[in-house]
């Protein structure tokens, strides 16, 4: 739903549109002028352009908030507030530069539509996070000695996969290796990493888990999880010679 609201053309029926303001399209990018060339500038055409421009502003504010995640590490509630504040800053301007659109004149647009779209998209994001589950695992490639490699995703309905988890297990040594865990930037700091690690312990109880040292920037997360988890996670780099 989040992708549909922010990246797909909005259905004409959603939501009920406010009356058009006086027609002034100077703020729309030349690409849109070209699309409209030769077409009668009736209310329907102008309405679609205005709706698309407002959707682009809401999307831009979302993407800028996502870009801050590496430094801010905001959880879902704080992310929503930061996104809201950034959108408010956009709408308070006379005009804004928006990726793919150029300069958009804010006064030409229906800001109520922008806030309705933000509320719907923010709610869709929160609901997707709440519905997220681990998919069934699948084996990856041929077995190598006593080890077996697996992969699963964290996903929710129509939003699809948020990220993947790849790992290997060595039952004779009683060890599991988390090889890679990755999530799309817009779904980071949503609790999916913790969900994935808990899933490993559930699917393979009794194993001692470790991660490689190549992802130094994520070691703090694993250390915090080790302290909270009942599953044995070790800081040793090579507790098993097979993995």
């Amino acid at each position: 739903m989040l992708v549909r609201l922010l990246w797909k053309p909005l259905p004409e029926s959603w939501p009920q549109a406010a009356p058009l303001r006086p027609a002034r399209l100077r703020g729309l990018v030349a690409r849109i002028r070209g699309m409209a060339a030769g077409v009668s500038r009736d209310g329907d055409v102008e309405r679609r352009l205005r709706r698309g421009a407002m959707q682009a502003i809401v999307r831009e504010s979302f993407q800028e908030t996502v870009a801050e995640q590496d430094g801010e590490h905001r959880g879902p509630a704080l992310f929503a507030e930061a996104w809201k504040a950034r959108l408010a800053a956009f709408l308070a301007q006379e005009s804004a530069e928006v990726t793919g659109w150029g300069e958009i004149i804010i006064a030409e647009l229906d800001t109520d539509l922008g806030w309705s779209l933000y509320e719907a998209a923010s709610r869709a994001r929160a609901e997707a996070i709440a519905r997220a589950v681990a998919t069934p695992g699948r084996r990856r490639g041929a077995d190598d000695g006593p080890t077996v490699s697996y992969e699963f995703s964290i996903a929710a309905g129509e939003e699809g996969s948020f990220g993947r988890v790849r790992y290997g297990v060595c039952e004779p040594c009683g060890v599991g290796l988390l090889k890679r865990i990755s999530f799309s930037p817009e779904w980071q700091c949503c609790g999916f990493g913790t969900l994935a690690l808990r899933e490993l312990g559930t699917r393979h109880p009794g194993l001692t888990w470790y991660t490689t040292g190549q992802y130094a920037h994520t070691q703090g997360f694993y250390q915090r999880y080790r302290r909270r988890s009942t599953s044995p996670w070790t800081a040793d780099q090579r507790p098993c010679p097979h993995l």
Side-chain angles (χ1 to χ4, degrees):
M1 179 63 76
L2 181 66
V3 170
R4 184 190 306 172
L5 289 170
L6 297 186
W7 277 270
K8 304 293 184 181
L10 293 173
E12 290 296 317
S13 59
W14 190 97
Q16 292 297 317
L20 284 173
R21 292 181 173 86
R24 293 186 301 139
L25 296 181
R26 72 177 186 280
L28 299 182
V29 73
R31 176 174 64 84
I32 301 304
R33 293 195 186 101
M35 291 171 55
V39 178
S40 174
R41 290 188 176 182
D42 57 19
D44 287 343
V45 172
E46 293 180 15
R47 179 169 175 266
R48 285 195 296 270
L49 293 177
R50 294 171 190 274
R51 285 161 63 83
M54 180 52 72
Q55 183 187 37
I57 289 174
V58 178
R59 180 173 63 245
E60 186 88 348
S61 65
F62 173 78
Q63 291 178 309
E64 289 188 3
T65 309
V66 168
E68 297 174 341
Q69 281 293 78
D70 279 346
E72 297 295 339
H73 305 291
R74 296 184 177 110
L78 290 178
F79 180 94
E81 289 301 316
W83 179 13
K84 184 177 182 179
R86 188 167 289 277
L87 177 59
F90 264 107
L91 298 182
Q93 300 177 93
E94 181 179 342
S95 65
E97 288 289 329
V98 177
T99 303
W101 286 74
E103 184 187 22
I104 294 177
I105 305 301
I106 305 299
E108 298 175 353
L109 305 180
D110 176 12
T111 56
D112 288 342
L113 171 64
W115 286 118
S116 295
L117 184 55
Y118 161 78
E119 292 294 342
S122 183
R123 185 168 56 251
R125 184 174 188 267
E127 291 173 351
I129 292 169
R131 296 195 312 269
V133 296
T135 64
R138 65 182 184 88
R139 295 175 71 154
R140 287 177 48 83
D143 297 346
D144 184 12
T147 68
V148 183
S149 295
Y150 297 94
E151 177 181 282
F152 65 86
S153 296
I154 303 296
E158 66 180 87
E159 296 294 346
S161 174
F162 302 135
R164 294 184 298 177
V165 180
R166 296 178 180 176
Y167 67 98
V169 299
C170 179
E171 295 289 351
C173 292
V175 165
L177 167 65
L178 176 60
K179 297 180 177 179
R180 183 171 179 80
I181 180 171
S182 59
F183 296 100
S184 301
E186 62 267 30
W187 299 109
Q188 292 178 3
C189 305
C190 293
F192 297 154
T194 298
L195 173 60
L197 299 190
R198 288 175 179 166
E199 192 69 19
L200 293 178
T202 299
R203 296 184 183 198
H204 305 279
L207 297 186
T208 295
W209 288 92
Y210 75 103
T211 62
T212 65
Q214 59 183 310
Y215 305 115
H217 64 289
T218 63
Q219 288 305 306
F221 166 73
Y222 296 119
Q223 290 169 6
R224 290 191 299 272
Y225 185 80
R226 278 197 295 269
R227 290 194 294 266
R228 299 192 307 264
S229 174
T230 58
S231 179
W233 281 76
T234 176
D236 295 339
Q237 289 302 300
R238 296 293 297 183
C240 166
H242 307 114
L243 287 168

